[in-house]
Amino acid sequence: MLENLQQYQEEVNNFNGGTASEVEEFRIKFLGKKGIINDLFFAFKALPGDQKKAYGQPLNILKKAAEDKVESFQNTQGIDENNASFEDLTRPGYAKSKGSIHPISLVRNEICDIFSKFGFSIAFGPEVEDDWHNFTALNLPKYHPARDMQDTFFLDVSPERLLRTHTSSVQIRHMENAKPPLRFLAPGRVFRNEAISARSHCLFHQVEGLYVDENVSFADLKQTIQYFTESLFGKSKIRMRPSYFPFTEPSAEVDVYWGLETETDYRITKGTGWLEIMGCGMVDPSVLENVGIDSDQYSGFAFGMGIERIAMLLYQIGDIRMFFENDIRFLQQFGAQY
Ligand code: PHE
């Protein structure tokens, strides 16, 4: 078969296109699964080593030439005169089905837009983190009981590697590499070893916020959160409950009042009307010191919110698992908004 290489090459060289079906016929003859070129390669493989040299290069040239021919004629000529639909230029086009943006992305984008209005930029960090960025630098030393607040997936490769349990690790990464004033949001996926239920999931999404500058106060934090919730939910009642996070002092949790008008509200807020949407507080001075920022000169606030929670409120979704099932009937309801 290989003796005919020259003849095949000529045939390929002489091919001058034609109708779409002629081009396709040519393609199948030379480049199809059972085509000449595959057969030639098969024969080539069976050759003893010393004969291979003579055929390898011409074989590749033949293949390339055949591919080039098909490509050029598929693009330029090759309209099939038998296919009348090509000739009717007034024929209506085919409708394209539009995709839709996932509700988590919609809400994330909305949150980023609101904060970008007052100067927050966007930062990212890795999902596979080390102990320092996820815990130790955030004032959570090894064996500290507060680590239990976030049940962690450690990676087998090394106990130092883990899936980040919160986006607070991005605070550390960013502060290590930049000097105040700092103002940024860090959206991303986080992982916790939790039982999956209607209200919790092993994988979820957070948006972290950090603001570090001279004279940043708790009043600034409160004002910022208030502005944010009003932009997102409209006029809304919020409350700040004292709380504890190792990396902020003082710390608070923010609840939004959603009411109890529908059964979904009842499910989302567990019958209280309030839903916790974020944790926040003033950056603990020792966190600033851990990344080399002078805590006498600078102070800051930080917050971290769960996107699923907020999306559940905004879209009245009673079960967090809906976000991960990718049921097309669910996703389609969010329309094509881009
Ligand atoms: N990282 C905290 C959590 O995941 C949230 C948080 C962020 C709290 C920033 C305070 C400040 O629960």
Side-chain angles (χ1 to χ4, degrees):
M1 178 158 201
L2 284 162
E3 320 77 70
N4 300 332
L5 211 65
Q6 180 69 24
Q7 180 202 323
Y8 292 134
Q9 183 71 52
E10 270 163 33
E11 194 178 331
V12 168
N13 291 349
N14 292 336
F15 180 66
N16 273 325
T19 63
S21 45
E22 278 162 357
V23 174
E24 181 60 6
E25 216 171 275
F26 171 83
R27 188 190 68 78
I28 292 170
K29 180 172 174 193
F30 280 94
L31 295 163
K33 244 194 179 147
K34 295 186 178 143
I36 289 171
I37 289 177
N38 258 354
D39 284 349
L40 286 169
F41 271 100
F42 197 72
F44 173 76
K45 260 197 209 144
L47 284 180
D50 56 334
Q51 290 182 33
K52 279 206 164 98
K53 218 168 163 199
Y55 290 109
Q57 206 186 13
L59 201 47
N60 280 322
I61 292 175
L62 174 69
K63 184 172 179 206
K64 175 88 178 53
E67 283 168 351
D68 287 350
K69 285 276 175 179
V70 170
E71 197 184 80
S72 65
F73 290 117
Q74 265 176 350
N75 292 341
T76 52
Q77 284 175 281
I79 288 181
D80 193 340
E81 68 280 4
N82 299 325
N83 187 346
S85 64
F86 277 106
E87 286 165 7
D88 180 5
L89 300 178
T90 62
R91 186 177 51 91
Y94 294 111
K96 286 247 159 64
S97 63
K98 285 187 195 155
S100 57
I101 296 187
H102 195 284
I104 296 297
S105 306
L106 286 175
V107 174
R108 182 203 55 208
N109 295 348
E110 179 76 32
I111 295 169
C112 293
D113 278 355
I114 293 171
F115 279 99
S116 72
K117 286 192 190 121
F118 42 103
F120 279 72
S121 55
I122 305 287
F124 294 100
E127 291 173 0
V128 174
E129 260 302 356
D130 51 40
D131 192 278
W132 169 256
H133 291 94
N134 195 80
F135 289 129
T136 309
L138 286 161
N139 224 10
L140 277 148
K142 281 218 162 83
Y143 308 112
H144 193 284
R147 285 197 178 195
D148 289 350
M149 288 161 73
Q150 302 178 354
D151 244 340
T152 310
F153 286 113
F154 290 95
L155 298 184
D156 279 349
V157 278
S158 143
E160 291 293 312
R161 297 262 159 211
L162 46 91
L163 295 179
R164 68 175 175 197
T165 57
H166 50 187
T167 40
S168 301
S169 54
V170 188
Q171 287 186 32
I172 302 298
R173 289 203 172 262
H174 206 67
M175 286 194 286
E176 279 174 343
N177 293 317
K179 290 277 150 271
L182 293 172
R183 203 164 13 170
F184 68 89
L185 286 190
R189 301 199 294 178
V190 301
F191 307 83
R192 293 192 196 169
N193 194 356
E194 290 179 356
I196 296 179
S197 70
R199 280 167 57 98
S200 72
H201 205 269
C202 291
L203 155 70
F204 59 101
H205 298 77
Q206 285 188 331
V207 177
E208 190 85 7
L210 181 74
Y211 180 27
V212 180
D213 201 351
E214 291 179 1
N215 301 320
V216 178
S217 72
F218 199 90
D220 296 324
L221 168 62
K222 192 172 170 200
Q223 188 67 31
T224 305
I225 304 289
Q226 181 93 40
Y227 174 81
F228 163 69
T229 51
E230 278 178 21
S231 311
L232 193 64
F233 299 112
K235 200 97 200 116
S236 59
K237 201 156 67 166
I238 61 168
R239 68 180 181 195
M240 289 176 110
R241 276 180 295 107
S243 184
Y244 170 74
F245 298 101
F247 31 91
T248 47
E249 180 58 35
S251 307
E253 275 171 328
V254 179
D255 299 340
V256 175
Y257 187 70
W258 198 252
L260 279 176
E261 272 143 42
T262 68
E263 209 174 310
T264 329
D265 297 336
Y266 191 89
R267 280 189 75 187
I268 297 173
T269 69
K270 275 196 176 156
T272 62
W274 292 93
L275 188 73
E276 180 214 320
I277 56 159
M278 67 167 89
C280 62
M282 302 306 293
V283 180
D284 193 304
S286 57
V287 173
L288 295 177
E289 296 297 332
N290 282 344
V291 290
I293 293 177
D294 181 356
S295 62
D296 290 329
Q297 191 186 353
Y298 294 106
S299 55
F301 64 71
F303 54 85
M305 61 186 117
I307 304 185
E308 278 78 2
R309 286 284 175 93
I310 294 173
M312 283 165 90
L313 274 187
L314 281 177
Y315 299 120
Q316 294 288 288
I317 296 162
D319 192 323
I320 197 172
R321 290 167 292 194
M322 303 285 284
F323 294 119
F324 301 93
E325 281 165 358
N326 286 333
D327 184 329
I328 209 95
R329 294 163 302 177
F330 170 73
L331 297 175
Q332 266 170 352
Q333 296 178 59
F334 298 93
Q337 308 176 33
Y338 42 83

